[in-house]
Amino acid sequence: MKVTFNNRDPVYLQVVRYFKQEIATGRLQAGQEIPSRRELAGALHINPNTAQKAYKEMEEQGLIRTEGNSPSRITTDERVLSSLREELILDAVHTFVSSIKTIDVPVDELLHIVKEVYAKERSKE
Amino acid sequence: MIEVTSVTKKYGRKKVLSGVSFTADKGQISCLIGINGVGKSTIMKAIMGLTPIQGGRILIDGQPIDKHLYEKVAFIPDTIIMPPQMTIGEALLFMKDFYARWNEGRAEELLSFFKLNRDDRISDLSKGNAAKTNMLLGLALDVDYLLMDEPFSGIDMFSREQIANVFTSHLIEDRGVLITTHEIHDIEHLIDKAVLLDRGTVLKEFLTEELRLSEGKSVVDVMREVYQT
């Protein structure tokens, strides 16, 4: 587990985002057991209170489930899981759009550039 | 909770603290931030009853400072205070004899966590290892509150990282931690609360995650605003 945190967004939301990415890309599977709050704090080098807050947020969003004293698991709710990918894509697009809109580029030209750069980046992986 | 209310302190005619108020909660990491000479260490000494104050009040879990307090709070000064000819192992024994709250199991765990060697003489330790040994001696006490004066200053980045990792481990457990620092970068994302000091007063006290959420600002952003206006 490796996350680079920025200091301006709440750390717990960055942790939630990390889990969403892991789920959307399939590195975390539906129903899979996840680390305890304390283990997560140690692994990501974050404050245990932050780990606790992140798990609470994920529980409220229905991303994870905890029953009694057993370890928390990724939800098996298909609806939640399938909406994740969409959410991540839309988030990234909004960020992109808000930073590009100050430069007045015609949409067609922009999409062309995006396609090119994206293909180049992907080929590096 | 450690409650510091309107504390004033003078060294001779020089006023060092002029009405300092803040709280540090159990289960949280609170950080006193300010440049050298703003009174950070004096506040810690005042909490421990090591220096008299001229005004205000300091309460720990609602109680004023007395000798029983030392079973509850440990102070880790910025330099190791054990006799330099002792080995680490001897220092551990010394602590064990002196403190009823010494936790031998945790001391052993910390020894391996920091990769320290019990046969090393304290005078021969590198700065980084001396700082880690110093931390160990405080952390191994079963106290509810830990005060740490500048735990990160003057040591190499790997030692700093190792010490920072203590805060994310079970070794801190649910204890209250109060740290002073003038270098926030290493621990910015680790702390729950920041208390910004300048010339003996508190300029701002805030919960870091709340401020990130409501204003999208880092601790350093807030420091720039507060100190440069």
mmCIF file of all heavy atoms in Angstrom, chain B residues 7-27:
data_model
loop_
_atom_site.group_PDB
_atom_site.id
_atom_site.type_symbol
_atom_site.label_atom_id
_atom_site.label_comp_id
_atom_site.label_asym_id
_atom_site.label_seq_id
_atom_site.Cartn_x
_atom_site.Cartn_y
_atom_site.Cartn_z
ATOM 1 N N VAL B 7 -2.333 31.249 30.828
ATOM 2 C CA VAL B 7 -1.092 31.105 31.586
ATOM 3 C C VAL B 7 -0.105 32.228 31.250
ATOM 4 O O VAL B 7 0.149 32.522 30.088
ATOM 5 C CB VAL B 7 -0.448 29.723 31.326
ATOM 6 C CG1 VAL B 7 0.980 29.681 31.846
ATOM 7 C CG2 VAL B 7 -1.279 28.628 31.983
ATOM 8 N N THR B 8 0.403 32.874 32.306
ATOM 9 C CA THR B 8 1.449 33.876 32.115
ATOM 10 C C THR B 8 2.703 33.446 32.869
ATOM 11 O O THR B 8 2.626 32.788 33.896
ATOM 12 C CB THR B 8 1.034 35.279 32.633
ATOM 13 O OG1 THR B 8 0.662 35.162 33.995
ATOM 14 C CG2 THR B 8 -0.125 35.842 31.842
ATOM 15 N N LYS B 9 3.836 33.821 32.300
ATOM 16 C CA LYS B 9 5.115 33.403 32.867
ATOM 17 C C LYS B 9 6.156 34.468 32.561
ATOM 18 O O LYS B 9 6.243 34.969 31.444
ATOM 19 C CB LYS B 9 5.518 32.061 32.217
ATOM 20 C CG LYS B 9 6.971 31.680 32.369
ATOM 21 C CD LYS B 9 7.241 31.074 33.722
ATOM 22 C CE LYS B 9 8.727 30.929 33.986
ATOM 23 N NZ LYS B 9 9.008 30.576 35.381
ATOM 24 N N LYS B 10 6.900 34.838 33.594
ATOM 25 C CA LYS B 10 7.979 35.806 33.396
ATOM 26 C C LYS B 10 9.283 35.184 33.842
ATOM 27 O O LYS B 10 9.327 34.460 34.832
ATOM 28 C CB LYS B 10 7.744 37.063 34.242
ATOM 29 C CG LYS B 10 6.651 37.964 33.733
ATOM 30 C CD LYS B 10 6.524 39.148 34.695
ATOM 31 C CE LYS B 10 5.226 39.899 34.435
ATOM 32 N NZ LYS B 10 4.796 40.622 35.632
ATOM 33 N N TYR B 11 10.345 35.434 33.082
ATOM 34 C CA TYR B 11 11.692 35.139 33.574
ATOM 35 C C TYR B 11 12.268 36.490 33.952
ATOM 36 O O TYR B 11 12.593 37.294 33.074
ATOM 37 C CB TYR B 11 12.549 34.494 32.481
ATOM 38 C CG TYR B 11 12.227 33.025 32.221
ATOM 39 C CD1 TYR B 11 11.862 32.605 30.944
ATOM 40 C CD2 TYR B 11 12.313 32.084 33.239
ATOM 41 C CE1 TYR B 11 11.581 31.262 30.693
ATOM 42 C CE2 TYR B 11 12.028 30.748 32.999
ATOM 43 C CZ TYR B 11 11.670 30.339 31.721
ATOM 44 O OH TYR B 11 11.402 29.018 31.479
ATOM 45 N N GLY B 12 12.344 36.804 35.244
ATOM 46 C CA GLY B 12 12.762 38.134 35.671
ATOM 47 C C GLY B 12 11.729 39.138 35.191
ATOM 48 O O GLY B 12 10.546 38.992 35.462
ATOM 49 N N ARG B 13 12.178 40.142 34.412
ATOM 50 C CA ARG B 13 11.206 41.131 33.934
ATOM 51 C C ARG B 13 10.709 40.794 32.544
ATOM 52 O O ARG B 13 9.869 41.473 31.983
ATOM 53 C CB ARG B 13 11.855 42.527 33.935
ATOM 54 C CG ARG B 13 12.052 43.035 35.358
ATOM 55 C CD ARG B 13 13.022 44.191 35.397
ATOM 56 N NE ARG B 13 12.417 45.415 34.853
ATOM 57 C CZ ARG B 13 13.092 46.551 34.724
ATOM 58 N NH1 ARG B 13 14.359 46.609 35.082
ATOM 59 N NH2 ARG B 13 12.511 47.612 34.223
ATOM 60 N N LYS B 14 11.273 39.717 31.971
ATOM 61 C CA LYS B 14 10.902 39.352 30.609
ATOM 62 C C LYS B 14 9.674 38.442 30.617
ATOM 63 O O LYS B 14 9.678 37.368 31.229
ATOM 64 C CB LYS B 14 12.074 38.640 29.942
ATOM 65 C CG LYS B 14 11.870 38.471 28.478
ATOM 66 C CD LYS B 14 13.145 37.969 27.806
ATOM 67 C CE LYS B 14 12.881 37.726 26.338
ATOM 68 N NZ LYS B 14 12.743 36.339 25.983
ATOM 69 N N LYS B 15 8.633 38.899 29.933
ATOM 70 C CA LYS B 15 7.412 38.107 29.854
ATOM 71 C C LYS B 15 7.571 37.065 28.748
ATOM 72 O O LYS B 15 7.803 37.414 27.589
ATOM 73 C CB LYS B 15 6.238 39.031 29.532
ATOM 74 C CG LYS B 15 4.944 38.548 30.142
ATOM 75 C CD LYS B 15 3.880 39.647 30.046
ATOM 76 C CE LYS B 15 2.708 39.305 30.949
ATOM 77 N NZ LYS B 15 1.638 40.300 30.881
ATOM 78 N N VAL B 16 7.471 35.773 29.075
ATOM 79 C CA VAL B 16 7.619 34.727 28.059
ATOM 80 C C VAL B 16 6.263 34.219 27.590
ATOM 81 O O VAL B 16 6.070 33.933 26.413
ATOM 82 C CB VAL B 16 8.425 33.509 28.575
ATOM 83 C CG1 VAL B 16 9.305 32.968 27.478
ATOM 84 C CG2 VAL B 16 9.242 33.848 29.792
ATOM 85 N N LEU B 17 5.341 34.068 28.529
ATOM 86 C CA LEU B 17 3.993 33.640 28.165
ATOM 87 C C LEU B 17 3.028 34.715 28.637
ATOM 88 O O LEU B 17 3.039 35.096 29.802
ATOM 89 C CB LEU B 17 3.644 32.305 28.824
ATOM 90 C CG LEU B 17 4.579 31.114 28.559
ATOM 91 C CD1 LEU B 17 4.094 29.887 29.323
ATOM 92 C CD2 LEU B 17 4.669 30.814 27.073
ATOM 93 N N SER B 18 2.209 35.228 27.699
ATOM 94 C CA SER B 18 1.252 36.233 28.151
ATOM 95 C C SER B 18 -0.172 35.799 27.828
ATOM 96 O O SER B 18 -0.727 36.158 26.808
ATOM 97 C CB SER B 18 1.576 37.607 27.565
ATOM 98 O OG SER B 18 2.160 37.485 26.300
ATOM 99 N N GLY B 19 -0.722 34.974 28.673
ATOM 100 C CA GLY B 19 -2.097 34.532 28.516
ATOM 101 C C GLY B 19 -2.279 33.428 27.498
ATOM 102 O O GLY B 19 -3.055 33.559 26.563
ATOM 103 N N VAL B 20 -1.555 32.336 27.667
ATOM 104 C CA VAL B 20 -1.651 31.209 26.730
ATOM 105 C C VAL B 20 -2.801 30.281 27.128
ATOM 106 O O VAL B 20 -2.902 29.855 28.269
ATOM 107 C CB VAL B 20 -0.338 30.401 26.708
ATOM 108 C CG1 VAL B 20 -0.522 29.071 25.990
ATOM 109 C CG2 VAL B 20 0.764 31.214 26.042
ATOM 110 N N SER B 21 -3.691 29.998 26.162
ATOM 111 C CA SER B 21 -4.785 29.062 26.404
ATOM 112 C C SER B 21 -4.917 28.092 25.243
ATOM 113 O O SER B 21 -4.872 28.501 24.087
ATOM 114 C CB SER B 21 -6.127 29.804 26.536
ATOM 115 O OG SER B 21 -6.082 30.737 27.562
ATOM 116 N N PHE B 22 -5.042 26.812 25.544
ATOM 117 C CA PHE B 22 -5.366 25.794 24.535
ATOM 118 C C PHE B 22 -5.674 24.493 25.269
ATOM 119 O O PHE B 22 -5.479 24.402 26.477
ATOM 120 C CB PHE B 22 -4.206 25.586 23.544
ATOM 121 C CG PHE B 22 -2.964 24.992 24.161
ATOM 122 C CD1 PHE B 22 -2.780 23.608 24.197
ATOM 123 C CD2 PHE B 22 -1.993 25.812 24.707
ATOM 124 C CE1 PHE B 22 -1.640 23.059 24.781
ATOM 125 C CE2 PHE B 22 -0.850 25.273 25.293
ATOM 126 C CZ PHE B 22 -0.673 23.898 25.324
ATOM 127 N N THR B 23 -6.170 23.512 24.536
ATOM 128 C CA THR B 23 -6.392 22.202 25.143
ATOM 129 C C THR B 23 -5.727 21.130 24.282
ATOM 130 O O THR B 23 -5.552 21.308 23.086
ATOM 131 C CB THR B 23 -7.895 21.855 25.244
ATOM 132 O OG1 THR B 23 -8.447 21.848 23.928
ATOM 133 C CG2 THR B 23 -8.645 22.837 26.113
ATOM 134 N N ALA B 24 -5.344 20.028 24.925
ATOM 135 C CA ALA B 24 -4.821 18.873 24.196
ATOM 136 C C ALA B 24 -5.595 17.659 24.687
ATOM 137 O O ALA B 24 -5.608 17.369 25.880
ATOM 138 C CB ALA B 24 -3.331 18.714 24.462
ATOM 139 N N ASP B 25 -6.285 16.990 23.768
ATOM 140 C CA ASP B 25 -7.158 15.878 24.152
ATOM 141 C C ASP B 25 -6.445 14.548 24.194
ATOM 142 O O ASP B 25 -5.462 14.331 23.484
ATOM 143 C CB ASP B 25 -8.321 15.772 23.168
ATOM 144 C CG ASP B 25 -9.371 16.810 23.446
ATOM 145 O OD1 ASP B 25 -9.797 16.902 24.608
ATOM 146 O OD2 ASP B 25 -9.734 17.553 22.512
ATOM 147 N N LYS B 26 -7.003 13.655 24.999
ATOM 148 C CA LYS B 26 -6.526 12.280 25.020
ATOM 149 C C LYS B 26 -6.896 11.621 23.688
ATOM 150 O O LYS B 26 -7.929 11.942 23.104
ATOM 151 C CB LYS B 26 -7.192 11.544 26.185
ATOM 152 C CG LYS B 26 -6.274 10.526 26.783
ATOM 153 C CD LYS B 26 -6.872 9.808 27.953
ATOM 154 C CE LYS B 26 -6.136 8.487 28.062
ATOM 155 N NZ LYS B 26 -6.891 7.472 28.729
ATOM 156 N N GLY B 27 -6.034 10.727 23.209
ATOM 157 C CA GLY B 27 -6.329 10.065 21.944
ATOM 158 C C GLY B 27 -6.057 10.932 20.732
ATOM 159 O O GLY B 27 -6.412 10.578 19.616
#
